[in-house]
């Protein structure tokens, strides 16, 4: 499963199609990634070193990751929405020796100290002090490296509960395309489900996130065309599915919500019959939202739960989900629910989710965090709270770091969020714990009203009643505040830490 094989067999087939219409063939992708790989090697970047990428979604992005992948390098895709200080931390912590940045990022790049990053390359325009990506390729032959070997990603967590953590896994360093390499196994799994090079995959999310990036590259290994949106727009997504006869795609729940908010005529005027399978992940999906999506697109929407750390994975088909609504699926590894005392809990009881097995990883430069993810039995956790039912299906309740403790009672805000998110006049919602002199914390809902909806006391009362209709009283918000928007990254993850900080900054309480 290599680009070279597809470039030889179907050199003119589109490998990358941008939402704007710009494209690159498999022949282009193979040649340009070879040229960049050789250019990096000529500049002294050897196996195991780190190349950082700071760009918006563009055609060059996947050329750069494939260059690193085939060179035995780590590639660190940096969230382009971070501040200069946050980007600096990732560059320093990862030890990146090369940075590929786009002209769009020139402003933030100018605020960085790049004295420890000797190789600097600018794509899609010029950046002061950077070599031109296009000129670099023109002067470099496209012959492959003498010993091409599999590299891999080293990605940083979104930092929704604290400082980003670099997740470092062992480099495969196997020959490029070796079926035993972990980097090849997603593509192999897709092939086992019957997927072929005829597939057209829609990537509507930022490539700096793990799932969009790794799945895009995995589809390339199968010889499939990857349609990349510069940014997610619900109407544009439907138009691209129709125009390119997209057969599969990966979404996050906030994208589903925005698709469902489209006017009926917009939803109906596109032919979506080419869709064979859709998968979603990255954040909890409210039951009502998923029910509506299955009713619209049919029982083709699967779901998985995992993390960059690869400590465990679950999977559930639409058919299974309809009989286990709210579940994220059956674990592929042995799963345990553990209580506060460290003892395993029986089905139906809620606790910290642990997995046996999984692949090896460490949090880069942070042995304490690495150790904290593992208990005394060797089981590992991503820090999520959940339960298993009698059939072995996992249901996630929330992140441990998001739990609200009110009057000594544990409250998981995701439950209230899932209810309020289905209200037709709510565009987005976050539920957090805020200081309460009597109870310690009380439950507050921050609501972004849908377009045209008036934020009024009457609307507050309506939303509180709506929450109480589906939840026990103690789990419901005690108050609602309206906001213009919530701090989410484009992949749907909510930065609750920044929301909580507004209320806890002058308190003697941990801002979780």
């Amino acid at each position: 499963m290599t680009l070279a094989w597809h470039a030889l067999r179907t050199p003119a087939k589109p490998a990358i199609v941008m939402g704007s219409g710009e494209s690159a063939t498999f022949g282009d992708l193979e040649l340009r990634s070879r040229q960049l790989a050789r250019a990096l090697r000529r500049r002294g970047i050897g196996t195991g070193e780190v190349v950082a990428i700071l760009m918006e979604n563009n055609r060059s992005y996947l050329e750069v990751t494939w260059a690193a992948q085939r060179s035995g390098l780590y590639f660190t895709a940096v969230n382009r929405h971070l501040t200069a200080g946050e980007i600096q931390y990732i560059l320093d912590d990862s030890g990146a020796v090369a940075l590929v940045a786009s002209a769009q990022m020139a402003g933030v790049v100018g605020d960085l100290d790049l004295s420890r990053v000797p190789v600097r390359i600018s794509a899609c325009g010029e950046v002061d002090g950077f070599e031109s990506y296009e000129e670099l390729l023109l002067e470099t032959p496209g012959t492959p490296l003498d010993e091409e070997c599999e590299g891999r990603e080293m990605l940083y967590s979104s930092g929704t509960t604290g400082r980003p953590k670099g997740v470092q896994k062992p480099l495969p360093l196997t020959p490029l395309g070796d079926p035993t390499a972990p980097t090849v196994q997603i593509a192999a799994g897709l092939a086992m489900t019957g997927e072929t090079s005829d597939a057209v995959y829609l990537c509507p999310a930022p490539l700096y996130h793990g799932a969009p990036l790794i799945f895009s590259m995995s589809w390339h290994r199968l010889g499939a065309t990857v349609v990349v949106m510069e940014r997610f727009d619900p109407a544009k997504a439907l138009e691209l599915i129709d125009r390119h006869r997209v057969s599969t795609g990966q979404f996050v729940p906030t994208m589903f919500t925005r698709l469902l908010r489209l006017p009926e005529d917009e939803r109906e005027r596109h032919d979506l019959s080419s869709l064979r399978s859709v998968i979603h992940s990255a954040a909890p999906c409210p039951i009502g939202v998923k029910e509506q999506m299955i009713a619209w697109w049919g029982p083709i929407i699967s779901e998985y739960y995992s993390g960059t750390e690869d400590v465990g994975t679950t999977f559930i088909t639409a058919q299974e989900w309809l009989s286990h609504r709210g579940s994220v699926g059956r674990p592929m590894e042995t799963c345990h629910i553990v209580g506060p005392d460290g003892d395993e809990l029986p089905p139906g009881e809620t606790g910290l989710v642990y997995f046996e097995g999984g692949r090896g990883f460490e949090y880069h430069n942070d042995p304490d965090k690495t150790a904290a993810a593992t208990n005394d039995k060797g089981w590992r956790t991503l820090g999520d709270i959940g339960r298993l039912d009698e059939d072995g299906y996992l249901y996630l309740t929330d992140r441990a770091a998001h739990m609200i403790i009110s009057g000594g009672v544990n409250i998981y805000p995701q439950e209230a969020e899932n209810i309020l998110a289905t209200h037709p006049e709510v565009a987005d919602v976050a539920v957090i714990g805020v200081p309460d002199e009597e109870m310690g914390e009380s439950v507050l809902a921050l609501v972004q009203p849908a377009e045209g909806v008036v934020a009024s006391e009457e609307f507050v009362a309506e939303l509180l009643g709506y929450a109480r209709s589906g939840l026990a009283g103690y789990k419901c918000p005690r108050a609602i505040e309206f906001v213009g928007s919530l701090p989410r990254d484009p992949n749907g993850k909510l930065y609750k830490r920044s929301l909580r900080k507004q209320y806890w900054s002058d308190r003697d309480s941990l801002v979780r």
Side-chain angles (χ1 to χ4, degrees):
M1 292 182 177
T2 63
L3 286 181
W5 192 85
H6 297 297
L8 182 65
R9 180 171 171 265
T10 55
K13 179 180 179 178
I16 303 165
V17 177
M18 299 302 299
S20 62
E22 184 183 14
S23 65
T25 67
F26 273 95
D28 295 332
L29 182 55
E30 171 68 7
L31 175 62
R32 290 166 69 87
S33 63
R34 278 182 178 181
Q35 289 172 313
L36 182 58
R38 185 163 289 280
L40 293 172
R41 189 61 53 87
R42 284 181 170 182
R43 281 153 181 74
I45 298 177
T47 301
E49 294 192 281
V50 178
V51 174
I53 306 164
L54 180 60
M55 297 196 289
E56 69 285 357
N57 280 12
N58 58 44
R59 195 193 80 170
S60 300
Y61 209 118
L62 289 166
E63 296 172 356
V64 176
T65 58
W66 270 114
Q69 183 74 48
R70 68 191 313 145
S71 307
L73 302 176
Y74 282 112
F75 49 98
T76 295
V78 182
N79 185 333
R80 70 184 185 89
H81 297 284
L82 297 178
T83 65
E86 292 166 324
I87 294 169
Q88 187 74 59
Y89 165 77
I90 291 174
L91 293 177
D92 293 343
D93 185 73
S94 68
V97 295
L99 171 62
V100 182
S102 68
Q104 276 195 28
M105 302 307 301
V108 70
V109 166
D111 294 330
L112 300 175
D113 175 6
L114 300 178
S115 59
R116 288 179 284 183
V117 186
V119 178
R120 307 163 201 169
I121 301 168
S122 65
C124 304
E126 296 181 0
V127 177
D128 286 346
F130 280 56
E131 295 182 85
S132 164
Y133 178 74
E134 294 298 334
E135 291 180 10
L136 194 63
L137 297 192
L138 283 174
E139 68 185 35
T140 307
T143 52
L145 298 175
D146 293 338
E147 295 182 358
E148 288 190 321
C149 58
E150 292 278 352
R152 76 179 316 163
E153 77 287 354
M154 185 172 86
L155 303 179
Y156 278 70
S157 68
S158 58
T160 53
T161 59
R163 200 167 218 180
K165 303 181 290 288
V167 179
Q168 187 172 34
K169 305 166 193 174
L171 274 174
L173 298 181
T174 53
L176 197 62
D178 188 316
T180 65
T183 48
V184 180
Q185 289 173 7
I186 291 178
L190 294 171
M192 288 177 63
T193 66
E195 294 288 0
T196 68
S197 60
D198 292 334
V200 179
Y201 171 71
L202 178 66
C203 175
L207 288 168
Y208 58 70
H209 277 293
L213 178 58
I214 302 308
F215 268 85
S216 293
M217 296 176 74
S218 296
W219 283 105
H220 277 156
R221 289 183 189 270
L222 258 63
T225 297
V226 175
V227 179
V228 181
M229 298 186 72
E230 285 84 356
R231 64 193 60 82
F232 180 73
D233 175 85
K236 181 70 172 179
L238 297 183
E239 188 265 320
L240 290 173
I241 292 170
D242 188 349
R243 189 200 321 168
H244 296 292
R245 309 312 297 149
V246 167
S247 62
T248 185
Q250 185 164 357
F251 296 80
V252 298
T254 53
M255 294 176 183
F256 285 163
T257 300
R258 292 181 63 188
L259 285 162
L260 291 166
R261 294 282 193 265
L262 288 172
E264 195 68 28
D265 60 340
E266 181 71 36
R267 289 171 52 179
E268 291 181 350
R269 72 187 184 90
H270 297 287
D271 179 4
L272 309 182
S273 62
S274 59
L275 282 174
R276 299 194 303 260
S277 65
V278 167
I279 196 164
H280 74 89
S281 61
C285 187
I287 290 176
V289 170
K290 190 161 179 178
E291 286 174 336
Q292 291 178 69
M293 285 302 302
I294 291 174
W296 178 14
W297 286 3
I300 62 170
I301 302 175
S302 301
E303 178 178 359
Y304 74 90
Y305 159 69
S306 187
T308 306
E309 294 86 343
D310 277 349
V311 303
T313 304
T314 70
F315 183 81
I316 190 167
T317 65
Q319 290 84 354
E320 289 177 289
W321 186 88
L322 288 169
S323 59
H324 296 83
R325 281 174 165 78
S327 172
V328 295
R330 288 188 184 219
M332 296 180 180
E333 298 84 6
T334 303
C335 181
H336 305 272
I337 306 299
V338 176
D341 57 3
D343 290 339
E344 187 167 6
L345 299 173
E349 294 198 26
T350 298
L352 200 57
V353 180
Y354 280 87
F355 293 91
E356 285 188 45
R359 298 194 179 106
F361 83 96
E362 61 182 34
Y363 291 118
H364 188 57
N365 291 334
D366 202 330
D368 291 341
K369 282 183 179 176
T370 304
T374 307
N375 68 6
D376 57 0
K377 299 179 179 65
W379 306 340
R380 297 181 298 173
T381 183
L382 295 171
D384 290 315
I385 300 293
R387 61 181 173 84
L388 290 167
D389 67 14
E390 294 289 348
D391 297 322
Y393 285 86
L394 178 65
Y395 298 74
L396 295 180
T397 306
D398 216 321
R399 299 273 307 163
H402 295 163
M403 185 174 69
I404 300 167
I405 304 175
S406 182
V409 176
N410 294 347
I411 299 170
Y412 300 106
Q414 183 188 314
E415 294 182 281
E417 289 168 354
N418 286 348
I419 293 289
L420 290 171
T422 62
H423 192 286
E425 295 182 338
V426 171
D428 201 1
V429 60
V431 174
I432 61 173
V434 296
D436 185 282
E437 293 299 332
E438 179 183 0
M439 307 297 285
E441 288 184 276
S442 65
V443 183
L444 171 68
L446 301 170
V447 171
Q448 176 187 340
E451 188 174 353
V453 175
V454 177
S456 63
E457 290 300 319
E458 291 76 17
F459 191 32
V460 168
E462 179 182 341
L463 291 177
L464 291 174
Y466 190 78
R468 284 192 290 269
S469 69
L471 282 178
Y474 74 92
K475 298 179 180 180
C476 293
R478 293 293 179 266
I480 289 176
E481 292 182 10
F482 295 109
V483 296
S485 64
L486 290 170
R488 288 188 186 271
D489 74 15
N491 209 35
K493 291 194 175 182
L494 183 65
Y495 291 99
K496 281 197 174 179
R497 182 181 177 85
S498 64
L499 291 175
R500 287 179 54 85
K501 191 173 183 179
Q502 300 172 45
Y503 297 88
W504 291 94
S505 58
D506 60 347
R507 297 289 182 128
D508 296 327
S509 175
L510 174 67
V511 180
R512 295 195 294 270

